[in-house]
Amino acid sequence: MSWENKNLRCHDCKFWWPSAEAAGKEPSRERSILGQCRRHAPPAMVGELPDHARHYPSWATTKRDDWCGEHQHREG
């Protein structure tokens, strides 16, 4: 696998879920710049709220042209 291989990017991976960047805009693998990597279960994150800390799961946010080395092509 080559570092320069443009075919192994998040937007072509079956584990990548595109995000909507603006209100009223549908998520799209072709247009969305950001998305979530859903390769592994989301770890619990700690979020700060005004009155207390809260634990919540959060998927890793990635850019469409990122890649992690565990890329798997999506079907179709």
Side-chain angles (χ1 to χ4, degrees), residues 32-72:
S32 293
I33 296 169
L34 297 175
Q36 297 173 331
C37 177
R38 296 187 176 184
R39 172 71 175 105
H40 300 285
M45 306 295 283
V46 176
E48 295 296 326
L49 297 175
D51 53 350
H52 64 285
R54 181 173 78 101
H55 292 275
Y56 60 92
S58 178
W59 299 100
T61 299
T62 65
K63 293 181 182 175
R64 64 178 273 120
D65 290 329
D66 287 344
W67 73 284
C68 70
E70 293 188 44
H71 183 278
Q72 291 186 27

